[in-house]
CSV table of all heavy atoms in Angstrom, one decimal:
chain,number,residue,atom,x,y,z
A,202,LEU,N,302.4,7.3,32.8
A,202,LEU,CA,303.5,8.1,33.5
A,202,LEU,C,303.4,9.5,32.9
A,202,LEU,O,303.3,9.7,31.7
A,202,LEU,CB,304.8,7.5,33.2
A,202,LEU,CG,305.3,6.3,34.0
A,202,LEU,CD1,306.7,5.9,33.6
A,202,LEU,CD2,305.3,6.6,35.5
A,203,VAL,N,303.4,10.5,33.8
A,203,VAL,CA,303.3,11.9,33.4
A,203,VAL,C,304.5,12.3,32.6
A,203,VAL,O,305.6,11.9,33.0
A,203,VAL,CB,303.1,12.8,34.7
A,203,VAL,CG1,303.0,14.2,34.3
A,203,VAL,CG2,301.8,12.4,35.5
A,204,HIS,N,304.4,13.1,31.6
A,204,HIS,CA,305.5,13.5,30.8
A,204,HIS,C,306.6,14.2,31.6
A,204,HIS,O,306.2,14.9,32.6
A,204,HIS,CB,305.0,14.4,29.7
A,204,HIS,CG,306.1,14.9,28.8
A,204,HIS,ND1,306.8,14.1,27.9
A,204,HIS,CD2,306.7,16.1,28.8
A,204,HIS,CE1,307.7,14.8,27.2
A,204,HIS,NE2,307.7,16.1,27.7
A,205,HIS,N,307.7,13.9,31.3
A,205,HIS,CA,308.9,14.6,32.0
A,205,HIS,C,310.0,15.0,31.1
A,205,HIS,O,310.1,14.6,29.9
A,205,HIS,CB,309.5,13.6,33.0
A,205,HIS,CG,310.0,12.4,32.3
A,205,HIS,ND1,309.2,11.2,32.1
A,205,HIS,CD2,311.2,12.0,31.9
A,205,HIS,CE1,310.0,10.3,31.5
A,205,HIS,NE2,311.2,10.8,31.3
A,206,ASP,N,310.8,15.9,31.6
A,206,ASP,CA,312.0,16.4,30.8
A,206,ASP,C,313.2,16.3,31.6
A,206,ASP,O,313.2,16.5,32.8
A,206,ASP,CB,311.7,17.9,30.5
A,206,ASP,CG,310.6,18.2,29.5
A,206,ASP,OD1,310.6,17.5,28.4
A,206,ASP,OD2,309.7,18.9,29.9
A,207,HIS,N,314.3,16.0,31.0
A,207,HIS,CA,315.6,16.0,31.5
A,207,HIS,C,316.3,17.2,31.1
A,207,HIS,O,316.8,17.3,30.0
A,207,HIS,CB,316.4,14.7,31.1
A,207,HIS,CG,316.0,13.5,31.8
A,207,HIS,ND1,316.5,13.0,32.9
A,207,HIS,CD2,314.9,12.7,31.4
A,207,HIS,CE1,315.9,11.8,33.2
A,207,HIS,NE2,315.0,11.6,32.3
A,208,GLU,N,316.5,18.2,31.9
A,208,GLU,CA,317.0,19.5,31.4
A,208,GLU,C,318.5,19.4,31.1
A,208,GLU,O,319.0,20.2,30.3
A,208,GLU,CB,316.8,20.6,32.6
A,208,GLU,CG,315.2,20.9,32.7
A,208,GLU,CD,315.1,22.0,33.7
A,208,GLU,OE1,316.0,22.4,34.4
A,208,GLU,OE2,313.9,22.4,33.9
A,209,GLU,N,319.2,18.5,31.8
A,209,GLU,CA,320.6,18.3,31.5
A,209,GLU,C,320.9,17.4,30.3
A,209,GLU,O,322.1,17.2,30.1
A,209,GLU,CB,321.3,17.9,32.8
A,209,GLU,CG,321.3,19.0,33.9
A,209,GLU,CD,322.2,18.5,35.0
A,209,GLU,OE1,322.9,17.5,34.9
A,209,GLU,OE2,322.1,19.2,36.1
A,210,GLY,N,319.9,16.8,29.8
A,210,GLY,CA,320.1,16.0,28.6
A,210,GLY,C,320.6,14.7,28.9
A,210,GLY,O,321.0,14.0,28.0
A,211,HIS,N,320.4,14.2,30.1
A,211,HIS,CA,320.9,12.8,30.4
A,211,HIS,C,319.7,11.8,30.0
A,211,HIS,O,318.9,11.4,30.8
A,211,HIS,CB,321.2,12.6,31.9
A,211,HIS,CG,322.3,13.5,32.3
A,211,HIS,ND1,323.6,13.4,31.7
A,211,HIS,CD2,322.4,14.5,33.2
A,211,HIS,CE1,324.4,14.3,32.3
A,211,HIS,NE2,323.7,15.0,33.2
A,212,GLY,N,319.8,11.3,28.7
A,212,GLY,CA,318.8,10.3,28.4
A,212,GLY,C,319.0,9.0,29.2
A,212,GLY,O,320.0,8.8,29.8
A,213,HIS,N,317.9,8.1,29.2
A,213,HIS,CA,318.1,6.9,30.0
A,213,HIS,C,317.2,5.8,29.3
A,213,HIS,O,316.3,6.1,28.6
A,213,HIS,CB,317.8,7.1,31.5
A,213,HIS,CG,316.3,7.4,31.7
A,213,HIS,ND1,315.9,8.7,31.5
A,213,HIS,CD2,315.3,6.7,32.1
A,213,HIS,CE1,314.6,8.7,31.8
A,213,HIS,NE2,314.2,7.6,32.1
A,214,ASP,N,317.6,4.6,29.7
A,214,ASP,CA,316.8,3.4,29.2
A,214,ASP,C,316.1,2.8,30.4
A,214,ASP,O,316.4,3.1,31.5
A,214,ASP,CB,317.8,2.3,28.6
A,214,ASP,CG,318.5,2.8,27.3
A,214,ASP,OD1,317.9,3.5,26.6
A,214,ASP,OD2,319.7,2.4,27.2
A,215,HIS,N,315.1,1.9,30.1
A,215,HIS,CA,314.2,1.4,31.2
A,215,HIS,C,314.6,-0.1,31.2
A,215,HIS,O,314.9,-0.7,30.1
A,215,HIS,CB,312.8,1.6,30.9
A,215,HIS,CG,312.5,3.1,30.8
A,215,HIS,ND1,312.1,3.8,31.9
A,215,HIS,CD2,312.4,3.9,29.8
A,215,HIS,CE1,311.8,5.1,31.6
A,215,HIS,NE2,312.0,5.2,30.2
A,216,GLY,N,314.2,-0.8,32.3
A,216,GLY,CA,314.2,-2.2,32.3
A,216,GLY,C,315.5,-2.9,32.2
A,216,GLY,O,315.6,-3.9,31.5
A,217,HIS,N,316.6,-2.3,32.6
A,217,HIS,CA,317.9,-3.0,32.5
A,217,HIS,C,318.0,-4.2,33.3
A,217,HIS,O,317.6,-4.4,34.4
A,217,HIS,CB,319.0,-2.0,32.9
A,217,HIS,CG,319.2,-0.7,32.1
A,217,HIS,ND1,319.8,-0.8,30.9
A,217,HIS,CD2,318.7,0.5,32.3
A,217,HIS,CE1,319.7,0.5,30.3
A,217,HIS,NE2,319.0,1.2,31.2
A,218,ASP,N,318.6,-5.2,32.7
A,218,ASP,CA,318.9,-6.5,33.3
A,218,ASP,C,320.4,-6.5,33.6
A,218,ASP,O,321.2,-6.5,32.6
A,218,ASP,CB,318.5,-7.6,32.4
A,218,ASP,CG,318.8,-9.0,33.0
A,218,ASP,OD1,319.4,-9.1,34.0
A,218,ASP,OD2,318.2,-10.0,32.4
A,219,HIS,N,320.8,-6.5,34.8
A,219,HIS,CA,322.2,-6.3,35.1
A,219,HIS,C,322.9,-7.7,35.3
A,219,HIS,O,324.1,-7.8,35.5
A,219,HIS,CB,322.4,-5.6,36.5
A,219,HIS,CG,321.8,-4.3,36.5
A,219,HIS,ND1,322.2,-3.3,35.6
A,219,HIS,CD2,320.8,-3.7,37.2
A,219,HIS,CE1,321.5,-2.2,35.7
A,219,HIS,NE2,320.7,-2.4,36.8
A,220,GLY,N,322.1,-8.8,35.2
A,220,GLY,CA,322.8,-10.1,35.3
A,220,GLY,C,323.6,-10.1,36.7
A,220,GLY,O,322.9,-9.9,37.7
A,221,HIS,N,324.8,-10.5,36.7
A,221,HIS,CA,325.6,-10.4,37.9
A,221,HIS,C,326.5,-9.3,38.0
A,221,HIS,O,327.4,-9.2,38.8
A,221,HIS,CB,326.5,-11.8,37.9
A,221,HIS,CG,325.6,-13.0,38.1
A,221,HIS,ND1,325.0,-13.3,39.3
A,221,HIS,CD2,325.2,-13.9,37.2
A,221,HIS,CE1,324.4,-14.5,39.1
A,221,HIS,NE2,324.4,-14.8,37.9
A,222,GLU,N,326.3,-8.3,37.2
A,222,GLU,CA,327.1,-7.0,37.2
A,222,GLU,C,326.4,-6.0,38.0
A,222,GLU,O,325.2,-5.7,37.9
A,222,GLU,CB,327.3,-6.5,35.8
A,222,GLU,CG,328.1,-7.5,34.9
A,222,GLU,CD,329.5,-7.8,35.4
A,222,GLU,OE1,330.1,-6.9,36.0
A,222,GLU,OE2,330.0,-8.9,35.2
A,223,HIS,N,327.1,-5.3,38.8
A,223,HIS,CA,326.5,-4.3,39.7
A,223,HIS,C,327.3,-3.0,39.7
A,223,HIS,O,327.2,-2.2,40.6
A,223,HIS,CB,326.3,-4.8,41.2
A,223,HIS,CG,325.5,-6.0,41.2
A,223,HIS,ND1,324.2,-6.0,41.0
A,223,HIS,CD2,325.8,-7.3,41.4
A,223,HIS,CE1,323.7,-7.2,41.0
A,223,HIS,NE2,324.6,-8.0,41.2
Side-chain angles (χ1 to χ4, degrees):
L202 281 178
V203 179
H204 179 72
H205 60 274
D206 295 304
H207 288 263
E208 292 183 356
E209 293 185 10
H211 298 300
H213 64 282
D214 297 323
H215 301 272
H217 293 281
D218 180 349
H219 299 303
H221 292 281
E222 297 297 329
H223 299 290

